[in-house]
């Protein structure tokens, strides 16, 4: 594009800009005249981040930034394009814009920018309910990301956020849980608003509870995002997670009435009872010392509130899920457990472990004294 045309265009944009932003245009014109591309890019990124620049983003991108797109960081070029795309009239126009942007950076030297733009386009496809198209783009982005030794955190964060959104839409709760946690690992939690943090914690909690493959909530229980549920209308959900983690049937019964507040949990209410029963079983095993883990079906029924005739099925379920290892004596109605899946402990569980360690220490001392007593002649010799 002719330099005079661009100069006139910038002059027009400066006059149309809010008074507070007109100084930025003088800087933009100066850097453009002097071909200081790096400084120009940074000023434009800062300008596009200002909410008052919204109406000028698309024209600036189409008539100005595209004229020197090859000379600047392709990742920042895509970032400017994504900001401009927010001003498209609807998602159909936005998708066309992002497809053209993606094609422009599809070069061997700018694959990180290509991935960044590709996953942004997949997000629009999700909103348009083109799930197959979104999945295809996300799979392609993931295959490229796997080849990188390192990449900007923002690229990974965007991928995990949109991938999580896809799995949430498809009701794949375990995959959503994994990708949502990976997204949180890539960002500063302070960048989320209080409402965004609360919504993210709510969705993660519900997904963890209704997933058929997640029985250990350790990562979520230790994550500061969960604190955003405190003193909100969803605080009971946090309490429910901790009740599941420690297999606390009494706490579950006290909180159970709140489940109706969440349609997804209400739909899985029977499954939740099975899940808390499994948690109560693993907790009952965990509380016992390793030499005392042969439990009768009657004992398990008493500690899990499950009918005795259903205990064998419960134990088999725990064994198949890898929550326990051991064997079942069907004739004697005894389960012999030799391993229980590790999990995050609360203070009460840690105190129980402290007591067990003290008992173990005492038994070791008693054994030492006994050996010393019966082996005096040996030691003397």
């Amino acid at each position: 594009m002719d330099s005079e045309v661009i100069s006139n265009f910038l002059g027009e944009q400066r006059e149309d800009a809010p008074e507070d932003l007109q100084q930025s245009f003088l800087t933009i014109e100066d850097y453009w005249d002097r071909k200081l591309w790096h400084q120009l890019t940074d000023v434009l990124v800062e300008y596009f981040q200002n909410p008052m620049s919204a109406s000028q983003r698309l024209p600036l991108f189409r008539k100005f930034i595209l004229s020197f797109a090859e000379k600047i960081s392709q990742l920042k070029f895509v970032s400017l394009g994504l900001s401009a795309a927010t001003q498209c009239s609807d998602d159909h126009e936005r998708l066309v814009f992002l497809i053209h942007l993606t094609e422009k950076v599809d070069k061997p030297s700018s694959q990180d920018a290509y991935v960044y733009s590709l996953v942004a386009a997949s997000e629009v496809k999700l909103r348009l309910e083109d799930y197959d198209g979104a999945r295809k783009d996300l799979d392609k982005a993931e295959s490229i990301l796997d080849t990188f030794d390192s990449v900007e955190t923002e690229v990974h964060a965007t991928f995990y956020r949109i991938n999580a959104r896809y799995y949430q839409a498809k009701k794949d709760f375990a995959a959503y849980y994994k990708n949502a946690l990976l997204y949180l690992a890539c960002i500063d939690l302070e960048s989320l608003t209080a409402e965004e943090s609360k919504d993210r914690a709510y969705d993660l909690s519900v997904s963890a509870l209704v997933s058929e493959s997640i029985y250990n909530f350790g990562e979520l229980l230790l994550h500061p995002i969960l604190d955003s549920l405190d003193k909100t209308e969803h605080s009971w959900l946090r309490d429910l997670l901790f009740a599941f983690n420690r297999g606390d049937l009494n706490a579950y019964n006290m909180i159970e009435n709140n489940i109706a507040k969440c349609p997804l949990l209400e739909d899985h209410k029977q499954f939740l009872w099975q899940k808390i029963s499994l948690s109560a079983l693993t907790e009952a095993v965990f509380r016992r010392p390793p030499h005392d883990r042969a439990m009768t079906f009657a004992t398990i029924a008493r500690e899990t509130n499950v009918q005795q005739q259903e205990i064998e099925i419960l134990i088999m379920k725990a064994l198949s899920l890898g929550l326990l290892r051991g064997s079942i004596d069907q004739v004697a109605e005894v389960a012999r457990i030799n391993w229980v899946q590790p999990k995050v402990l609360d203070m009460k569980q840690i105190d129980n472990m402290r007591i067990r360690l003290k008992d173990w220490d005492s038994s070791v001392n008693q054994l030492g004294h006994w050996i010393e007593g019966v082996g005096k002649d040996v030691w003397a010799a």
Side-chain angles (χ1 to χ4, degrees), residues 303-316:
E303 299 202 21
T304 61
N305 287 350
V306 173
Q307 296 295 320
Q308 190 162 337
Q309 62 267 27
E310 298 176 3
I311 292 301
E312 186 177 343
I313 296 174
L314 182 70
I315 299 169
M316 290 174 65

Side-chain angles (χ1 to χ4, degrees), residues 347-359:
M347 294 306 295
K348 184 177 179 181
Q349 291 169 310
I350 292 172
D351 188 56
N352 288 335
M353 180 173 281
R354 180 186 64 83
I355 293 170
R356 282 171 48 196
L357 286 172
K358 286 181 68 176
D359 291 342

